[in-house]
Amino acid sequence: MLSTNNTNDIVHLRAAGTSFVLDARGTGVPSITHWGADLGELSATQLAALADSRERALGPSSIDEPFRLSIVPLLAEGWSGLPGLEGRHDRSSAERGNDARGARVRRPALRIEGIEHPEPRRVSITLIDADADADADADAGADAVGATVATLRLTIDFELTAAGVLRSRSQLTNTATETFELSSLATILPLAPVARERLDFSGIWAAERQPQRSAIDYGTWLRESRHGRRGHDDSYLTVAGTPGFGFRHGEVWALHLGTSGDTRVWIDRTALGFTTMGAAELLAPGEVRLATGDSYETPWTYAAWSDAGLDGVSDRFHSWFRDLPAHPSTPRPLTLNTWEAVYFDHNFEQLAALADAAAEVGVERFVLDDGWMTNRTDDKRALGDWTVDAASWPEGLAPLVDRVTASGMQFGLWVEPEMLSLDSALAREHPEWILRDDDRPLPKSWRNQYVLDLDNPAAREYVREAIAALLDEYAISYLKWDMNRDLLGGSVHRHVRATYLLMDELRDRYPHVEIESCASGGARVDAGVLERVQRVWPSDTNDAHDRFSIMRWTNLLVPFEYLGSHVGSSPAHTSGRSLSLSFRLATALMGHSGIEWDLTNTTDEEKDALRAWADVYRSLRGLIHSGRVVRSEIGTDPLVTGIVSANADDAVFWVTNLTTPTDSVPTARRLPGLDPHRLYCISPVDVGAVAATYPGTAPAWWHDGELALSGAVLGSVGLQLPILHPDEALVLRATAVDDLDSCGAL
Ligand code: DGJ
């Protein structure tokens, strides 16, 4: 413990080039003096001088003391932006009496109770809200601020992880005798005045995480998710930075809220001279009512600063995910998913033939998707009845599981535990388990299905035991956990909590079983679910043109080893677009690779290509799933996306053309992120099929098959490449060598 209950503290957390300074002097709510570049080792005197230097002049037409932005900015402090805490004690009926003027207004007002600094990179602040009389007592001396008079106690944790991710979480406890109804409890972080441009995301089904940017002007820019899941249009990662910031330049501050439920994120630029970035779980009115002694805990907010653009932010977040206890620890198995191959049309012969073909091309995990349950002939029925359909599977799943495992592959199974169909034995037996608002009719159906009220312990136990029975009976090592509708009713807060509990219970009981988070494709990709799963499905589209951008942007926050990416057939099922095999293979290499294609209907050439590609995946996955991501600047086509190993002795780059070129010969492509002082041998990676280029245009070195250049030249000058057709990609390997001669020997 570095210090306790010392309200004269200025706390300085430092990690990986980032500083976070908290001024907790006095009895007011602490304020963040600095979050950004590392300030070096600072003495107590220097820290005090830093904090003093941030004190502002008294503004014209303002409160009669210099305004100070606290970690929970409130109206009571003179803050006119979005508040850090909103809610009220239920005193209205008792106190209003016959007063016709309406309920008493009483907003939260906080002051510090204590601060703990248990580790060099962690600090925890306790604040209280107290009644007016207690305030008067407090004026008489700090000792008079007794815990007994507090009506709310709020504890806020800040931690700077080893990688420099700032994470924060708050816990609010009601210490009054009346119930407290919470409207919002947010994490609010100050942005430096140079942050004048923002980036976040929107999207639709099969086209998730499309970037959108704008200037940060006065007012509140707010994104809310009201889907009961993150949604296809999820804001995902909110970034503010110096105008024009890019992947490799600019000072940026990024924030993500770690929950799979409803969210609010905002950037608030007020005329007070502050710009803040905030995030909170979006709560429905009355959803969180705290009786005396009850507590509410926010999800973690994750934030990262970098002066090296978006790649710097990715570096920090990726390190964070890679340190999670649930981070996948084994090489990511090449996966085949049956969905686009057979949809609901399940029969043993067809699926056994698919499994054989999968094993032949080198697949390591075979995942049986939707369609295996009793009566599940289409998406109109049978969700909730987690038993194997006797008509399609007269001997159960055992013959298929045995066939799969006998050929050395793992067996994975699709489930959708949070849902039920009206046409199911479960809904007929327990109609009361369908999630809805109190005393309301059922919410509108969505993909013909409804949500199971998992917060009801009996319903959760039912589905847990149904899945456990499958895991006990079959050698299943993987669950694809789907969620195919918005909630449109019930408590999202409680649903998310119950879903996490269910996942945790199953993972505790079956630690060898991995989970993939899927929600109509990519509608649930967040740090909350990623604390418990080993894969996410970023999108339902296997169209490589759309998929390439989705992978690149999803990877801004989440490292590639978590992100499923499958080779699909051509034309693509979701878009009807036809794309070359080379482009589909190159794109599917970017992530946790898989196949979603009816291999019983492919040519020998296609199978040969897949076999070669599977070998390439196996040889590159160690690098792709552990290295640092580097990206060429936004708006440059062909795009360069690379992964560089931790010690920079190995790298792979995708050079991708998604548009019609505007230069007859594209300018040299820079390969960023390599060690400028080392020599690299550059060679094309044969992904199994040759990318289409304009005829006769490859530069001479390409015909030689390799070239040795220094990291400095590759990063600052770049190199000429064949002219790609639109929707094509080249994959290049850069391997550090000691001298030019070693290059040819590789
Ligand atoms: C939606 C998923 O995103 C698909 O991959 C597939 O699993 C279907 N659901 C099955 O219903």
Side-chain angles (χ1 to χ4, degrees), residues 162-187:
V165 171
L166 176 67
R167 62 176 197 146
S168 177
R169 175 175 69 177
S170 309
Q171 191 186 60
L172 181 73
T173 304
N174 180 18
T175 49
T177 45
E178 304 86 0
T179 298
F180 183 76
E181 184 171 320
L182 177 67
S183 305
S184 175
L185 179 54
T187 296

Side-chain angles (χ1 to χ4, degrees), residues 154-417:
L154 175 59
T155 303
I156 303 173
D157 298 322
F158 288 104
E159 182 187 353
L160 202 54
T161 68
V165 171
L166 176 67
R167 62 176 197 146
S168 177
R169 175 175 69 177
S170 309
Q171 191 186 60
L172 181 73
T173 304
N174 180 18
T175 49
T177 45
E178 304 86 0
T179 298
F180 183 76
E181 184 171 320
L182 177 67
S183 305
S184 175
L185 179 54
T187 296
I188 296 185
L189 299 170
L191 293 172
V194 291
R196 283 289 170 262
E197 189 170 323
R198 56 136 215 103
L199 159 76
D200 85 320
F201 297 86
S202 185
I204 55 172
W205 174 77
E208 294 86 343
R209 282 166 287 287
Q210 300 177 31
Q212 50 172 7
R213 291 175 81 119
S214 71
I216 297 175
D217 292 324
Y218 287 103
T220 304
W221 169 89
L222 171 71
R223 293 291 310 279
E224 293 188 339
S225 159
R226 295 175 182 271
H227 299 287
R229 54 182 181 173
R230 295 296 289 233
H232 296 105
D233 61 349
D234 184 25
S235 176
Y236 192 52
L237 187 69
T238 306
V239 186
T242 45
F245 67 81
F247 282 116
R248 314 242 349 128
H249 74 278
E251 191 173 359
V252 288
W253 291 259
L255 171 143
H256 170 84
L257 187 64
T259 174
S260 304
D262 287 350
T263 59
R264 311 175 74 209
V265 287
W266 63 85
I267 295 176
D268 217 359
R269 181 172 172 193
T270 79
L272 283 170
F274 286 97
T275 305
T276 57
M277 207 177 207
E281 184 179 11
L282 194 159
L283 300 172
E287 192 171 25
V288 175
R289 284 173 60 80
L290 303 176
T292 309
D294 283 356
S295 296
Y296 162 83
E297 193 166 80
T298 65
W300 284 103
T301 294
Y302 299 90
W305 165 87
S306 167
D307 60 359
L310 297 168
D311 282 359
V313 156
S314 294
D315 256 0
R316 296 194 193 281
F317 284 129
H318 291 183
S319 301
W320 159 254
F321 284 114
R322 286 174 173 160
D323 281 346
L324 283 178
H327 180 265
S329 52
T330 54
R332 301 294 70 216
L334 184 68
T335 297
L336 180 131
N337 181 288
T338 62
W339 180 239
E340 288 196 350
V342 298
Y343 292 104
F344 293 103
D345 193 6
H346 283 205
N347 68 72
F348 172 73
E349 285 68 32
Q350 166 68 8
L351 284 157
L354 187 56
D356 292 348
E360 243 177 69
V361 301
V363 165
E364 297 160 309
R365 174 182 281 163
F366 182 90
V367 180
L368 184 66
D369 210 283
D370 196 358
W372 57 268
M373 306 94 74
T374 308
N375 294 332
R376 183 73 172 167
T377 46
D378 56 22
D379 65 12
K380 295 192 173 51
R381 65 206 85 242
L383 288 179
D385 297 346
W386 301 107
T387 52
V388 180
D389 185 58
S392 322
W393 303 97
E395 295 171 62
L397 294 179
L400 183 66
V401 176
D402 291 348
R403 182 87 153 235
V404 165
T405 51
S407 18
M409 296 184 290
Q410 300 175 12
F411 186 84
L413 190 66
W414 176 94
V415 288
E416 197 175 358

Side-chain angles (χ1 to χ4, degrees), residues 623 626-628 644-651 673-676 678 680 734 736:
L623 169 63
S626 67
R628 263 181 320 112
V644 181
S645 67
N647 60 5
D649 64 352
D650 196 7
L674 299 171
D675 182 341
R678 292 174 84 175
Y680 290 88

